[in-house]
Each structure stands twice: as C-alpha cells, then as structure tokens.
C-alpha cells in the first residue's frame, strides 16, 4: 500500500480532540523509518497501527497513541516485538472503513463543542432548564463556598472547565473509592456531589453546565444518556434516523427474525453445497459437470447460474459472511 505522509497529516489535522498535536509526530517518526519497517516480518502489523492513528478517537478500541509510542521505540531501536505485543497487534484488526470514519469524524467535532442538536431535538426543554439553573441561589451559594475552600484554577482545563468524574458502561465506576488524603481528592468528591445535586456534567468558569441528552458512539456501541431531569418523549426528543446512521457506522446490518432464519437456511445450504462439491471432486468431475452435480444435490434447476454455487462455497469456507448473501 502506497502511503503519503502529507496526506496522512492532512487527514489528522481534520480530526477533533487535538489529534494533530497528539499523533502528528508519531506518524512522522514511523514514516521516517518506512524502509526499515517494510523489511520487518511484522511490517503489516506496524503499518496497521500507523493507519489507526488517523482514525477518529471515538472508534479506538485501545490507546493507539500509547501503542504507537511503544512501537516507535521498538522500530528506532530495531528490536523484535515480544510475543504478547504481536498478539495485541493481531487482535486490534484493521481500522473501520472510510465512510464510517467520515461519519464519526464529523460527529466528533459536534461532540467536542457540546453540540448535540443534530441528534437531540426539543432544545427548548434544555434552554428552559438551563435558565432556571443559572438563577438558582442555592447553587450559587454552594459554588462560592467551594471556591473559598479550594483554588479551583488548579482543576480547570484551558477553557476553564471542570468536569465531574464520569459514569461508565453498565454503571461501572473507575476511581470511585472515597479518598480524603489530599486537597485534590477532597475537591473531586465534593465537586462530584455538587454536580449530582444539580445534575451537572461540570462547570465552566462560573457557569454551571447542565447535563444534556447525549448520543455518543463508542468502539463497542452507541450510548444514549437521558438525564434524570429530562421528561423524555421517545418520539419527539431524538432524531432517530440520524442516530441510526451514526450507529450503522459500526457496521451493523439489517437484522430480525425473518433475516436471521434466512441466514441460517443459507448457511445450511452452503454446507450441503460443499458436501456435493467434494463428492463431485472425488468422482473426478470438473467445471460445468461438477457444478451440475452440486445443483442437482441442492435440488435446483440445472439452468441455475453457476455463480450461486460459487457464493455458497465461499460461504461454506467462511470467506463470505452469511449476512452479505441475504
């Protein structure tokens, strides 16, 4: 595969979440050693990680930035990858297709700016609740008290935002343990409690950030979060066609009882076709004679197109997924 560092860097520059700043140098360092990499037995696996660096962060199943840093060390020292590393490189697989990357990459720019309007309708609900929150005297008093106890600038990012610790899939809580040993640990516990009390995901300078209805693709699926303050209307609140488009970027195909039954039947037919194909081969049949034998075994009209047999044989060998033939 022919690569262009200029094109790869241009692609990374278009991504959200400061990806050029984080991954641009890694791409350059790996590309600089392309001749040496191409001579290695694991060249394909290394270039696969290189390609993942320009995939939208939302789709990453592992930390490819950290993995690439480790691989750069391996390449620059011209050492062999250890067996566990090779196993990891094989397991991560190839990046999603270009269309999936485009759809998710475009959406990442909306997410990075807190914009969910494309997928979440009824913004009037949110505006009403946000206005109420801005004028809540109890919240203002609690925030001012927190600022008296802590230097909040220590916990703000470049935009002046402090985010509470996030809930995770299936309500797992990383870093959940109570810790009162340091000023930072105390601040995080108190800030989490404040955010829970007023249903915030954080505070930007002195502005409370009300938790929004959000739709987020992840490497493993699509997460929809409906805040507890939100009176949810499943028909009016979400743009389901756009959500479906985003979710299908993962590669999900049409499913359902009829389709599933069809795929089971096609799998069974493929095994029968393979059985008769092997039988014809043992008898010395070739070409059209072998195809006719398979069609007869399947109970099909001998005038059936030979491509039908080829598709079934590919399916039987596991080269073509059943859903692609439905």
């Amino acid at each position: 595969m022919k690569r262009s560092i200029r094109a790869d860097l241009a692609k990374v520059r278009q991504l959200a979440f400061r990806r050029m700043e984080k991954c641009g140098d890694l791409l350059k360092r790996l590309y600089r050693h392309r001749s040496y990499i191409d001579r290695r037995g694991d060249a394909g696996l290394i270039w696969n990680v290189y390609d993942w660096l320009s995939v939208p962060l939302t789709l990453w199943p592992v930390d490819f930035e950290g993995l690439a840093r480790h691989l750069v060390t391996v390449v620059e020292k011209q050492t062999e990858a250890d067996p566990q590393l090779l196993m990891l490189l094989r397991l991560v697989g190839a990046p999603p297709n270009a269309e999936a990357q485009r759809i998710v990459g475009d959406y990442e720019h909306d997410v990075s700016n807190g914009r969910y309007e494309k997928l979440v309708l009824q913004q009037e609900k949110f505006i009403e609740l946000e206005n109420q929150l801005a004028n809540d005297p109890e919240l203002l008093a609690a925030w001012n008290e927190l600022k008296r106890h802590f230097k909040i600038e220590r916990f703000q990012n470049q935009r002046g935002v402090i985010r509470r610790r996030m809930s995770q899939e299936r309500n797992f809580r990383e870093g959940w343990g109570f810790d009162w040993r340091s000023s930072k640990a105390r601040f995080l516990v108190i800030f989490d409690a404040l955010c829970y009390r007023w249903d915030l995901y954080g505070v930007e300078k002195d502005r409370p950030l009300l938790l929004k209805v959000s739709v987020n693709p992840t490497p493993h699926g699509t997460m929809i979060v409906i805040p507890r303050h939100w009176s949810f209307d499943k028909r009016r609140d979400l743009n389901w066609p756009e959500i479906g488009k985003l979710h299908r970027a993962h590669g999900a195909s049409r499913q359902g009882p009829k389709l599933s039954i069809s795929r089971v039947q096609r799998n069974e037919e493929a095994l029968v076709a393979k059985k008769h194909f092997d039988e014809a081969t043992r008898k010395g049949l070739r070409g059209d004679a072998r195809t006719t034998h398979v069609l007869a075994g399947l109970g099909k009209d001998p005038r059936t197109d030979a491509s039908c047999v080829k598709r079934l044989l590919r399916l039987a060998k596991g080269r073509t997924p059943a859903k692609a033939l439905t």
Side-chain angles (χ1 to χ4, degrees):
M1 176 181 176
K2 187 176 181 180
R3 288 180 171 79
S4 164
I5 188 62
R6 182 176 297 179
D8 294 334
L9 292 174
K11 182 179 178 183
V12 172
R13 285 192 188 95
Q14 300 301 314
L15 297 176
F17 306 126
R18 299 159 51 206
R19 294 294 305 290
M20 180 61 185
E21 176 185 329
K22 294 177 179 293
C23 296
D25 185 59
L26 291 169
L27 287 168
K28 293 176 185 177
R29 289 170 69 183
L30 285 171
Y31 191 82
R32 193 179 302 136
H33 296 281
R34 60 191 181 278
S35 296
Y36 167 70
I37 292 174
D38 286 339
R39 295 196 299 271
R40 292 177 60 108
D42 54 4
L45 299 175
I46 294 174
W47 286 124
N48 190 54
V49 173
Y50 174 96
D51 292 338
W52 268 105
L53 290 174
S54 58
V55 171
L57 183 65
T58 296
L59 295 171
W60 283 13
V62 301
D63 175 15
F64 283 105
E65 181 187 347
L67 175 55
R69 289 189 188 284
H70 182 72
L71 279 178
V72 165
T73 301
V74 170
V75 168
E76 291 181 343
K77 291 184 177 179
Q78 298 192 7
T79 57
E80 295 295 321
D82 62 69
Q84 292 87 355
L85 179 59
L86 288 173
M87 179 181 180
L88 171 60
L89 296 178
R90 289 194 299 267
L91 285 175
V92 294
N97 62 48
E99 179 66 4
Q101 292 187 42
R102 183 191 65 77
I103 292 170
V104 175
D106 289 347
Y107 188 61
E108 278 190 346
H109 285 286
D110 292 332
V111 172
S112 67
N113 290 290
R115 297 194 304 263
Y116 292 94
E117 291 81 2
K118 184 165 63 177
L119 302 185
V120 181
L121 310 176
Q122 302 279 24
Q123 290 301 314
E124 296 79 9
K125 286 185 182 182
F126 179 80
I127 294 170
E128 178 185 3
L129 293 166
E130 193 175 41
N131 289 337
Q132 292 174 4
L133 195 66
N135 298 308
D136 188 320
E138 189 179 354
L139 170 58
L140 179 60
W143 178 243
N144 286 333
E145 183 181 358
L146 188 64
K147 290 197 294 182
R148 287 197 299 272
H149 288 299
F150 300 93
K151 294 180 179 179
I152 64 166
E153 296 79 10
R154 293 175 52 201
F155 310 107
Q156 293 174 328
N157 66 13
Q158 292 177 338
R159 288 172 43 205
V161 175
I162 307 172
R163 285 184 170 84
R164 62 167 168 78
R165 287 176 286 193
M166 299 289 112
S167 299
Q168 297 172 291
E169 293 176 70
R170 298 170 60 193
N171 211 27
F172 282 94
R173 313 285 182 95
E174 185 176 351
W176 176 246
F178 180 80
D179 186 353
W180 207 245
R181 292 171 295 180
S182 67
S183 176
K184 179 179 180 180
R186 293 184 181 198
F187 174 83
L188 291 175
V189 173
I190 297 173
F191 189 72
D192 283 350
L194 181 141
C195 288
Y196 173 77
R197 171 66 177 78
W198 279 277
D199 217 4
L200 312 179
Y201 71 86
V203 175
E204 183 174 6
K205 297 180 180 176
D206 289 321
R207 183 170 71 92
L209 301 173
L210 182 64
L211 186 61
K212 297 181 178 182
V213 177
S214 60
V215 181
N216 293 103
T218 76
H220 304 287
T222 304
M223 295 180 66
I224 300 176
V225 175
I226 303 168
R228 55 195 170 92
H229 66 254
W230 192 273
S231 176
F232 184 61
D233 184 330
K234 64 181 181 182
R235 294 179 179 174
R236 296 192 179 107
D237 286 352
L238 294 178
N239 187 338
W240 291 110
E242 284 296 321
I243 292 173
K245 177 182 175 182
L246 187 66
H247 180 70
R248 284 192 296 275
H250 287 293
S253 61
R254 293 178 60 208
Q255 296 168 342
K258 292 183 179 179
L259 287 171
S260 296
I261 292 172
S262 174
R263 288 168 190 156
V264 170
Q265 291 173 341
R266 187 59 63 92
N267 276 318
E268 292 175 348
E269 189 175 38
L271 293 176
V272 173
K274 181 66 166 57
K275 173 185 173 183
H276 289 292
F277 180 88
D278 292 342
E279 181 182 272
T281 301
R282 287 194 297 272
K283 291 181 178 180
L285 300 179
R286 296 288 186 276
D288 291 343
R290 183 161 53 185
T291 299
T292 300
H293 180 88
V294 174
L295 290 173
L298 292 170
K300 294 183 178 294
D301 189 307
R303 293 170 293 182
T304 301
D305 195 295
S307 63
C308 168
V309 173
K310 293 179 181 179
R311 288 197 299 272
L312 289 171
L313 292 174
R314 286 199 301 269
L315 175 58
K317 292 179 181 179
R319 295 178 181 172
T320 303
K323 61 185 179 184
L325 300 177
T326 302

